[in-house]
Amino acid sequence: MQRALTCSRGMVTAPHHLAAQSGLAVLREGGNAVEAMVAAAATIAVVYPHMNSIGGDGFWLISHRGREPVGIDACGRSAALATIDWYREKGLTTIPTRGPLAANTVAGAISGWQAALTEAKGRLPVARLLDDARALARDGVPVTQSQVGYTTRFLSELAPQPGFAPTFLRDGAPPTGRSLQRFPALAATFDRLARAGLDDYYRGELAQSIAGSLTRLGSPVRAADLAQQQASVVTPLSVKLSVGTVYNLPPPTQGLASLLILAIYDRLRAGVSAESFAHVHGLVEATKQAFLIRNRHVTDPDRMTVAPADFLRDEAVTRCAQAIDMTRARPWPEPAVHADTIWMGAADRDGCMVSYIQSVYWEFGSGVVLEESGINWQNRGASFSLDPASHVALAPGRKPFHTLNPPLARLDDGREMVYGNMGGDGQPQSQAAIFTRHAMYGHDLQQAISAPRWLLGRTWGDMSVSLKLEGRTDPAVVAALRAAGHDVELVDDYSDLVGHAGALVREPGGTIVGATDPRSDGGVAGW
């Protein structure tokens, strides 16, 4: 079995190897982990365009040695024109999931890059951080089989969207794997950002181009909406476990659910070994308890009626744990969510570690590609409701609910860990599997990621609500889960449904350990 990579000076893990290499090159030139992550984030937007783009949102957790972790919320808000009446006047009862009407929120990712660089006092010019991305967009990059598969799967709903076919199709058909794809308009956009600075995306000539394109296509987003975008520095949520403290972002992300799963499971795991029935069943049932809370309460933080941290108090977590029967499955489902995302991690020799997640929501987001700038716009605002009584009701200037959540852990033995995954409801579930295997049961980091995973409910590209287990799962565990009442469905041995994960761990002596997911096109780059 492949083992985790180790080094001492710096490391980057990403779901595409070229993004990891971009980050490593910045580290080797004296850049810090945040600068490395911006370089990787720019590159991944070019080489993995079905998973993310610079027309999406992003969330950061940044840890500096001797300081409390810092979070950055780079979530774009809904446009001023995006009202329930605006959609109802068009005869709609729900927000479309594709097309210009789905492109109803500002893309916040670039504002997050800017805020992270400011927070971390970057050393290198922005132009250097964008070098690989603009070269790859201009000169071309091989198409991954993952991109081919998801383009093929959703071709009927993506092909009609403005700008999609000329950008991502070849004579109306999906590209073939390893064929070269070029994005000249996107390359020019990166050139513009390199010259004018990242703020040009929101308040410069690029902003005017973006707003003009969106307006012509029928999106409600205008230049004034872009001009108001600012990423926020936020205090992360945290919970103390028996092995250390885990951090994640507050709403509008589902970071609360990620922390709750681990906190609940920590109270159930006495005598349990990894990969056993009790391990899988306990985490699945903890997931149900966490999702019950998430689905009822998590929304724009300005509209939250309860404090998220209250759900992480000992008495609240204990109540959730006591509601779990360790022999029987709770009836399910609850409403599930769809998503498409990348997670990446970086660590430098000065002790900075970064957990970062970037997304356009569904695969290729809204499917809309802006002709002048080459930007593929997200459809995150499709998660709003047109029911005014809903806790996620659409209104101008609101943040949409986000499945994105970048975790970070400081363990009691002195190790520090950044880890993550993509895939809607699957994000916190795979995070829990990886964290418990490595931090609680001592598995090698690569083994913790490569081992069979599971998914309760729906995720990107799948609408069934069963408990999906990879086919490599121990048959005895599969049988025990079925006997306990779980609606088990076996999927591929290495299934995209459980996401593309990665992790980095800094040991107390300074050694950095990294791993990536064999389910992705990823890589770990270190020196």
Side-chain angles (χ1 to χ4, degrees):
M1 175 182 288
Q2 178 184 356
R3 301 287 291 183
L5 180 70
T6 60
C7 66
S8 60
R9 293 188 173 186
M11 187 177 287
V12 180
T13 182
H16 194 289
H17 60 95
L18 290 177
Q21 291 174 27
S22 290
L24 179 64
V26 166
L27 291 176
R28 293 178 70 95
E29 292 176 30
N32 60 38
V34 168
E35 292 171 302
M37 186 54 67
V38 170
T43 293
I44 199 81
V46 177
V47 301
Y48 236 37
H50 55 307
M51 296 290 176
N52 76 122
S53 88
I54 62 170
D57 288 342
F59 294 91
W60 297 72
L61 261 181
I62 304 171
S63 172
H64 297 283
R65 186 182 289 129
R67 292 160 50 186
E68 283 298 299
V70 171
I72 294 176
D73 171 344
C75 172
R77 295 181 182 270
S78 53
L81 290 176
T83 66
I84 291 174
D85 287 344
W86 191 81
Y87 281 92
R88 286 182 173 172
E89 287 168 2
K90 300 178 187 309
L92 298 170
T93 57
T94 59
I95 298 172
T97 54
R98 303 288 194 187
L101 298 182
N104 61 8
T105 62
V106 172
I110 298 293
S111 70
W113 297 2
Q114 188 170 32
L117 291 171
T118 299
E119 193 280 336
K121 299 178 175 58
R123 305 159 185 162
L124 301 178
V126 168
R128 168 61 192 90
L129 306 183
L130 303 182
D131 272 350
D132 284 358
R134 50 184 174 160
L136 289 164
R138 180 184 62 247
D139 300 334
V141 62
V143 177
T144 63
Q145 197 57 49
S146 175
Q147 181 181 335
V148 173
Y150 283 95
T151 305
T152 302
R153 185 170 184 175
F154 299 103
L155 183 62
S156 63
E157 58 191 72
L158 290 168
Q161 306 311 328
F164 186 86
T167 305
F168 295 116
L169 303 182
R170 304 292 180 268
D171 297 322
T176 56
R178 299 185 182 177
S179 62
L180 208 61
Q181 60 183 352
R182 295 181 176 87
F183 306 112
L186 184 60
T189 291
F190 278 120
D191 285 340
R192 174 73 196 173
L193 291 170
R195 292 192 309 271
L198 298 177
D199 194 63
D200 198 66
Y201 191 103
Y202 300 102
R203 286 162 281 273
E205 290 183 15
L206 180 57
Q208 294 302 315
S209 170
I210 291 171
S213 295
L214 288 169
T215 299
R216 286 191 296 273
L217 294 173
S219 162
V221 177
R222 299 290 184 266
D225 301 309
L226 293 169
Q228 292 178 18
Q229 173 62 27
Q230 296 282 354
S232 304
V233 177
V234 298
T235 301
L237 295 173
S238 64
V239 66
K240 182 70 174 70
L241 307 177
S242 59
V243 293
T245 300
V246 185
Y247 301 83
N248 214 308
L249 285 202
T253 81
Q254 65 171 336
L256 172 62
S258 180
L259 296 178
L260 268 173
I261 292 170
L262 291 175
I264 295 167
Y265 180 75
D266 202 37
R267 286 160 169 74
L268 303 174
R269 74 181 184 96
V272 175
S273 60
E275 316 311 323
S276 64
F277 161 78
H279 180 215
V280 179
H281 174 80
L283 282 174
V284 170
E285 295 303 300
T287 297
K288 293 175 182 177
Q289 292 294 318
F291 282 2
L292 288 169
I293 292 170
R294 181 200 71 180
N295 294 348
R296 285 159 174 72
H297 299 288
V298 175
T299 184
D300 183 328
D302 293 339
R303 302 194 66 229
M304 291 281 291
T305 58
V306 290
D310 287 349
F311 294 110
L312 297 170
R313 297 183 184 277
D314 285 344
E315 58 272 21
V317 174
T318 298
R319 283 195 298 271
C320 290
Q322 290 174 341
I324 292 173
D325 184 336
M326 285 299 288
T327 64
R328 296 295 302 171
R330 179 190 177 97
W332 204 248
E334 275 283 303
V337 292
H338 190 110
D340 203 359
T341 305
I342 59 91
W343 177 89
M344 300 187 292
D348 64 32
R349 56 182 160 185
D350 296 324
C352 178
M353 296 192 77
V354 174
S355 180
Y356 179 61
I357 199 158
Q358 183 168 282
S359 173
V360 287
Y361 196 30
W362 290 21
E363 55 292 310
F364 293 105
S366 66
V368 173
V369 182
L370 308 186
E371 183 178 0
E372 291 182 358
S373 60
I375 298 173
N376 177 204
W377 210 260
Q378 66 183 354
N379 64 336
R380 182 61 61 175
S383 64
F384 283 119
S385 172
L386 296 185
D387 176 1
S390 171
H391 72 295
V392 290
L394 177 66
R398 284 187 178 168
K399 292 185 178 183
F401 166 74
H402 259 282
T403 52
L404 307 188
N405 66 103
L408 180 149
R410 289 179 170 175
L411 304 180
D412 290 342
D413 61 10
R415 289 178 293 161
E416 187 161 13
M417 179 177 182
V418 293
Y419 60 104
N421 188 50
M422 45 73 73
D425 277 357
Q427 281 186 46
Q429 297 183 60
S430 285
Q431 290 171 11
I434 293 162
F435 180 85
T436 55
R437 285 167 174 162
H438 181 70
M440 293 182 176
Y441 298 121
H443 287 198
D444 172 79
L445 194 62
Q446 185 62 58
Q447 179 188 8
I449 289 174
S450 299
R453 297 206 296 269
W454 58 88
L455 169 73
L456 173 68
R458 298 181 291 184
T459 188
W460 55 301
D462 186 89
M463 299 304 290
S464 65
V465 292
S466 57
L467 174 60
K468 299 164 188 66
L469 303 172
E470 288 190 303
R472 300 174 292 133
T473 305
D474 182 349
V477 173
V478 174
L481 290 166
R482 283 180 168 144
H486 293 281
D487 178 18
V488 172
E489 175 186 354
L490 293 181
V491 297
D492 293 342
D493 283 358
Y494 290 90
S495 175
D496 267 349
L497 291 177
V498 300
H500 300 165
L504 298 178
V505 173
R506 186 191 301 278
E507 304 283 354
T511 299
I512 305 168
V513 182
T516 192
D517 202 322
R519 302 164 183 86
S520 73
D521 298 277
V524 182
W527 73 307

